[in-house]
Amino acid sequence: MEDSKSGKACPRGTGLFLALVVVAAFASGCSSPADKAREFYDRGNSLFERGEYAKAVLEYRNALQVKGDMVRAWYALAQVYEKQGQWDRVFSTLKRVLDLDANHVGAQVTLGKLFLAAGQIDAALEYSNSTLKLSPEAPEVLAFRAAVLYGLEDRVGAAEVAKAALLRDPENVDALIVLSTERIASGAPGEAIAYLDRGLRVHASNVALMLIKIQALDELDETEEAEAIYGRLIRLYPQERGFRQRLARHHLERGRVDRAEMVYRGIVEESPDDVEARLDLIRFLKAHQGDDTAEKQLRAYIEKAPDERRLSILLAELYSSVGKEAEAREVYHGLIATDSVGSSGLAARSRLAAMEVTAGEKGRASALIGEVLAIDARNIDALMLRAHMAIEDLELGAAIGDLRTVLREQPGAAPAMVLLGKAHELGGELALAGDQYRRAFINSAGDPAIGTAYVDFLRRQGNAATAEEILLQLLTGTPGYLPALEALAHVRIELSDWVGAEQVAEQIRQLGDQNRISSQLLGAVYAAQKRAADSIAAFRDAYDTAPTAVQPMVSLVGAYVRAGKHAEAQNFLKTVLTANPRNPLAGILLSRLYLLNGDLDSARRHLHTFVEQDPRNAAGYLELAGIHARDSQLEKAQAVIEQGLRQLPEEFGLRLMQASLNEQSGNFEVAIRQYEALYLEHPNADIIVNNLASLLSDHGRGAEEHRRAVRLASRFKGSKIPHYQDTLGWAYVRAGRVEEALPLLKAAVAENPDILIFRYHLGMAYQAAQRSEDARRELESVLVHAAGDAPIYADKIEAALVELSSEEVSGAP
């Protein structure tokens, strides 16, 4: 007979003979898919327990190939990914578990922890509520609940629930972490250590418990014992360089630079062939003993290992960081000559391209990136740089495509996720953006730079409370990280926590604060409290310490303006420009100050002088042209832009404004040609596509150009940006595709009902759809709202209304 599941022929028999034959058959492989899957699963478990995670993954996958709905295997696979730190895969695999078993408590708890780590407290709370209903007595559920309550700043409730978890599982690590963290926060680090030691007696190698104990010991100033724990971590995990680096930072925070250096040199001595260890030492020397010491040590390493080209790349980076551009380029060109198609030659090209971007030579940068990708189409550095350039040019589709390629090659690449988040954010896709920033933070394992990028996004969305939670997590791991401290102060200002913000400013001051960041922050605190004089004094201190920095100057001028001291602001900026007539920031700020005071003539005169003194500063031309355009002096605005283009013929901003001015002047054919030229160079720049499609819809010659407008604007399908919805909707109307247009145009009007052009387009779409009453309502609304300020479409609206009236009189449908 044929086994219906396995497809193998199984023998017949009776009695004892049958039993023996069946046993023999199973021993020879005649088993069901469920049995076979269980064998793979059991082997995976054995490998998992031995720490052979890569092999365990293969066995679990084998089980799932046989039985794709085996929940245990999916959950085990997620646990392996968790051990490996592959957080994206943990997330997606747990989602698969819940697709198969929506009530799986372990998957819900782990997913909730991921959301909690990413600062998504609401999502974590939902999972906590769900698991409490499913398994209210389970210690892991209670420990997770305690962590969520702690995240909600309910420390008392968190401690009570954590203790309840310990009654059921006296060594539950998560509960002990909550209780020890709460004790440290409450100023009782000794009690925290008692909880931590309780866990370490059973979980002797648990990294989290040891790191929190170090934090508690630091609070007690028990430096030697803290360093002993670092030593234990290093012995337990010799391949994990991060613990040695933490120990080095521990020394640095106490001013023991020599002992930190010994740690880095010890890593090199123990691993003489480890290039990364040498690179870490060089970076340390650069940061703490200066560029000359770092260069000397690096050259010594290169002499001993001239074929180790990563050292040469670091030397070039060192040159570039200290302004030795020629020396850096020489090293890079040497690498390209000796290893043209190898990894170092490709890396050298990518870094040269980055230098060209910084120098404003995007054409050269693009050529170098093209060379790299012609050799290696999936080169991560080149794709990342090309995506970065595309985002700067608002070519969001191209950027997203490159970044998705990077993430297919490196699924956990947090920097790529951050850039992808930025691209989605600029495209108005905020939910997608937030997801990418959150995933980046989870995958970065607490990288402070990635964390602060996530925080910046949260602040832009007005979510200061979650931003504060993320920053506090970051600062637990890297307590002296200046960008996170600065962001925390700003977040607390946004939350009106003046005392907390001042405490952070004081903490920054105690770290040295050579750039007077603390003064800048105090100025912001005082400004928020409307303490004008104190704010000005603090910002002045910050500016005097860092007169070339952007933010102190902007902040000081803003403080003068808020205090009504416009004359003082003008005098300050004039003093700056007397010392440096080509200071671009001061020049623009002074022109805007004149405009704020209603002094158009002074603003124009100042900017004319400014562009004469610095004729290659595009910002000056754009500012001056903008003033003329706002004053309806379009010819003068065009003249300024043309003057700028004579100096900077390829400058994107100037060319874009030139096309826009021609559009405003009614020179539609000229504007179309200019946008077409820009589109050929920047085919993925949404702003160019939007403007070109709009012009073709309104002023294109016939049906073919209307259809081309639809083809161009079709990239905006699914966009949530009202202007893009309107562009695509109007293109559909002009191409006779009214039913496709209406949902887009209604969405644009719903989002921005005061933008009259949106309502005009919707009214005309209703007319084309023979919905006369709706058309009349929208078109009359445009005329009413534009009373006294006749819109450019007034004649067309009047004609449409007359046509509607004729249809109603004649009884036309």
Side-chain angles (χ1 to χ4, degrees):
M1 96 179 150
E2 182 90 349
D3 184 306
S4 62
K5 293 182 180 178
S6 67
K8 287 197 173 190
C10 293
R12 296 179 181 273
T14 59
L16 178 60
F17 177 75
L18 174 60
L20 292 173
V21 170
V22 169
V23 169
F26 271 93
S28 66
C30 182
S31 59
S32 71
D35 293 328
K36 197 67 181 172
R38 188 163 52 249
E39 290 175 18
F40 287 128
Y41 172 75
D42 289 340
R43 282 203 294 271
N45 286 346
S46 298
L47 292 164
F48 180 85
E49 289 172 6
R50 295 201 298 269
E52 298 181 45
Y53 299 129
K55 292 180 180 178
V57 167
L58 292 176
E59 295 298 336
Y60 291 138
R61 284 179 175 167
N62 286 337
L64 291 167
Q65 279 189 333
V66 177
K67 194 172 189 301
D69 61 352
M70 190 177 187
V71 174
R72 288 181 298 165
W74 281 110
Y75 185 59
L77 192 59
Q79 291 177 304
V80 178
Y81 290 145
E82 186 176 356
K83 289 286 187 183
Q84 295 174 321
Q86 298 187 54
W87 301 108
D88 251 22
R89 288 183 171 176
V90 174
F91 192 86
S92 60
T93 306
L94 290 173
K95 286 287 191 183
R96 177 62 175 148
V97 171
L98 293 178
D99 287 341
L100 295 168
D101 178 5
N103 294 329
H104 195 288
V105 172
Q108 289 197 35
V109 167
T110 307
L111 269 175
K113 288 179 184 178
L114 289 177
F115 280 113
L116 187 62
Q120 301 288 310
I121 193 74
D122 291 342
L125 182 59
E126 285 183 21
Y127 280 113
S128 177
N129 291 337
S130 174
T131 53
L132 274 174
K133 290 178 183 176
L134 292 168
S135 190
E137 300 297 318
E140 67 272 19
V141 169
L142 292 170
F144 172 45
R145 181 66 164 193
V148 171
L149 291 173
Y150 193 87
L152 291 167
E153 299 187 7
D154 180 4
R155 292 181 182 174
V156 174
E160 289 177 357
V161 177
K163 289 174 182 175
L166 291 180
L167 289 174
R168 293 156 179 80
D169 178 7
E171 285 82 34
N172 184 282
V173 170
D174 290 337
L176 291 167
I177 286 173
V178 170
L179 286 166
S180 57
T181 304
E182 186 276 331
R183 289 290 79 203
I184 292 172
S186 299
E191 295 176 28
I193 289 173
Y195 283 119
L196 293 162
D197 286 343
R198 179 173 166 179
L200 287 166
R201 280 193 290 271
V202 179
H203 309 283
S205 60
N206 185 278
V207 173
L209 293 173
M210 284 191 273
L211 290 176
I212 296 171
K213 186 172 180 179
I214 288 170
Q215 185 183 353
L217 291 167
D218 284 345
E219 292 290 326
L220 294 168
D221 205 23
E222 297 286 350
T223 301
E224 290 186 9
E225 191 174 348
E227 290 171 7
I229 296 176
Y230 275 123
R232 187 162 175 236
L233 283 164
I234 291 166
R235 288 191 299 276
L236 283 169
Y237 305 100
Q239 302 304 315
E240 181 52 66
R241 186 181 292 117
F243 295 130
R244 295 178 185 270
Q245 292 169 336
R246 278 177 175 263
L247 176 57
R249 285 202 301 271
H250 192 268
H251 289 314
L252 287 171
E253 287 162 6
R254 285 150 186 80
R256 299 193 299 236
V257 177
D258 54 339
R259 295 182 70 172
E261 182 180 349
M262 286 173 61
V263 172
Y264 281 109
R265 290 194 181 278
I267 299 172
V268 173
E269 289 169 8
E270 290 178 13
S271 308
D273 297 327
D274 188 339
V275 176
E276 285 299 324
R278 283 177 278 175
L279 298 179
D280 285 342
L281 174 61
I282 298 303
R283 295 183 186 107
F284 166 81
L285 293 173
K286 174 177 168 55
H288 298 282
Q289 295 185 24
D291 299 316
D292 292 341
T293 303
E295 183 182 346
K296 183 178 178 181
Q297 180 67 74
L298 186 51
R299 285 189 169 281
Y301 284 148
I302 291 172
E303 285 178 13
K304 289 182 181 178
D307 293 332
E308 186 45 76
R309 296 186 175 96
R310 280 182 289 176
L311 296 172
S312 296
I313 286 174
L314 184 58
L315 179 62
E317 290 175 348
L318 180 63
Y319 284 144
S320 185
S321 70
V322 296
K324 296 181 178 179
E325 300 291 324
E327 290 88 339
R329 289 174 182 274
E330 183 180 352
V331 173
Y332 287 138
H333 283 299
L335 287 167
I336 292 169
T338 57
D339 189 31
S340 180
V341 298
S343 60
S344 60
L346 298 179
R349 285 186 180 88
S350 293
R351 283 160 175 75
L352 273 174
M355 291 176 69
E356 298 294 5
V357 170
T358 302
E361 298 291 346
K362 289 188 177 180
R364 294 179 187 174
S366 295
L368 285 162
I369 292 170
E371 290 177 19
V372 173
L373 294 174
I375 299 167
D376 176 11
R378 291 185 172 88
N379 185 278
I380 302 300
D381 289 342
L383 288 169
M384 287 285 286
L385 184 55
R386 189 166 74 176
H388 180 81
M389 291 170 62
I391 288 172
E392 282 192 346
D393 290 340
L394 294 179
E395 298 179 353
L396 303 180
I400 289 169
D402 280 345
L403 292 167
R404 285 177 176 163
T405 300
V406 170
L407 289 169
R408 281 195 294 272
E409 296 295 310
Q410 294 184 358
M417 293 174 191
V418 168
L419 270 186
L420 187 53
K422 184 177 181 181
H424 284 310
E425 185 180 2
L426 288 171
E429 299 169 316
L430 298 181
L432 290 174
D435 184 57
Q436 289 299 329
Y437 282 115
R438 176 187 56 76
R439 290 174 58 216
F441 179 57
I442 291 172
N443 278 275
S444 73
D447 182 292
I450 300 295
T452 47
Y454 182 29
V455 163
D456 290 342
F457 170 77
L458 290 168
R459 289 177 61 199
R460 287 192 293 271
Q461 305 312 308
N463 194 349
T466 301
E468 184 180 30
E469 292 170 10
I470 298 296
L471 288 165
L472 291 172
Q473 288 180 42
L474 285 175
L475 290 166
T476 298
T478 51
Y481 185 62
L482 191 57
L485 285 169
E486 189 175 355
L488 180 59
H490 284 297
V491 163
R492 287 181 169 169
I493 291 169
E494 291 162 17
L495 294 170
S496 300
D497 180 5
W498 318 126
V499 173
E502 289 191 44
Q503 286 173 344
V504 177
E506 175 60 21
Q507 188 178 350
I508 291 172
R509 188 190 65 78
Q510 290 178 357
L511 289 173
D513 192 22
Q514 296 178 352
N515 293 323
R516 289 291 195 280
I517 293 172
S518 58
S519 297
Q520 179 78 22
L521 292 170
L522 286 173
V525 172
Y526 298 146
Q529 293 175 296
K530 303 193 185 314
R531 293 164 56 181
D534 292 335
S535 176
I536 289 170
F539 285 137
R540 184 78 210 204
D541 181 59
Y543 171 78
D544 288 342
T545 305
T548 60
V550 170
Q551 194 57 52
M553 184 188 298
V554 172
S555 297
L556 180 55
V557 171
Y560 278 131
V561 170
R562 283 191 298 274
K565 298 184 176 183
H566 292 201
E568 287 88 340
Q570 284 187 22
N571 290 335
F572 163 67
L573 290 170
K574 287 176 180 177
T575 301
V576 173
L577 288 166
T578 298
N580 178 11
R582 299 174 68 173
N583 185 306
L585 178 61
I588 297 301
L589 286 175
L590 184 55
S591 71
R592 292 181 181 176
L593 196 56
Y594 284 135
L595 288 175
L596 186 64
N597 294 331
D599 190 352
L600 286 175
D601 289 339
S602 292
R604 292 192 197 97
R605 283 196 303 271
H606 163 68
L607 285 169
H608 276 296
T609 303
F610 189 61
V611 296
E612 287 171 5
Q613 291 173 330
D614 188 5
R616 294 187 62 78
N617 183 348
Y621 296 110
L622 289 169
E623 194 79 11
L624 180 55
I627 289 175
H628 288 312
R630 283 193 295 273
D631 206 23
S632 299
Q633 297 179 325
L634 298 181
E635 290 185 5
K636 288 185 177 181
Q638 279 283 22
V640 170
I641 294 299
E642 288 168 6
Q643 179 186 351
L645 286 169
R646 284 194 290 274
Q647 297 291 333
L648 302 160
E650 299 302 317
E651 213 284 322
F652 178 81
L654 294 174
R655 294 171 65 198
L656 186 62
M657 190 165 189
Q658 183 184 45
S660 176
L661 288 169
N662 274 315
E663 184 179 353
Q664 293 175 57
S665 301
N667 301 324
F668 300 120
E669 290 191 9
V670 174
I672 288 171
R673 287 199 302 272
Q674 289 170 340
Y675 280 125
E676 290 280 17
L678 287 166
Y679 174 69
L680 287 173
E681 297 171 25
H682 305 275
N684 294 299
D686 287 344
I687 189 171
I688 295 171
V689 171
N690 180 76
N691 294 358
L692 178 56
S694 294
L695 277 170
L696 290 173
S697 294
D698 278 325
H699 306 288
R701 294 180 176 179
E704 177 51 38
E705 291 203 340
H706 292 158
R707 285 193 290 272
R708 182 159 182 260
V710 171
R711 290 196 297 272
L712 286 167
S714 61
R715 72 166 60 194
F716 302 135
K717 286 180 180 178
S719 174
K720 302 301 181 185
I721 298 177
H723 286 83
Y724 295 162
Q725 292 172 325
D726 174 74
T727 296
L728 178 56
W730 186 235
Y732 279 145
V733 172
R734 298 289 285 167
R737 296 162 63 175
V738 180
E739 292 306 316
E740 293 172 85
L742 282 170
L744 292 163
L745 295 172
K746 286 193 284 189
V749 169
E751 187 70 24
N752 291 100
D754 295 330
I755 297 182
L756 301 183
I757 190 65
F758 292 178
R759 306 200 75 156
Y760 166 72
H761 286 161
L762 179 58
M764 297 302 288
Y766 280 137
Q767 184 189 29
Q770 298 185 346
R771 291 171 57 175
S772 301
E773 186 176 338
D774 292 327
R776 179 178 293 282
R777 182 189 67 246
E778 291 299 332
L779 294 172
E780 287 181 345
S781 176
V782 174
L783 290 180
V784 169
H785 283 85
D789 184 24
I792 57 173
Y793 290 102
D795 291 343
K796 292 183 179 180
I797 293 173
E798 294 287 3
L801 289 171
V802 168
E803 186 177 341
L804 284 169
S805 297
S806 299
E807 290 172 356
E808 290 166 0
V809 170
S810 65

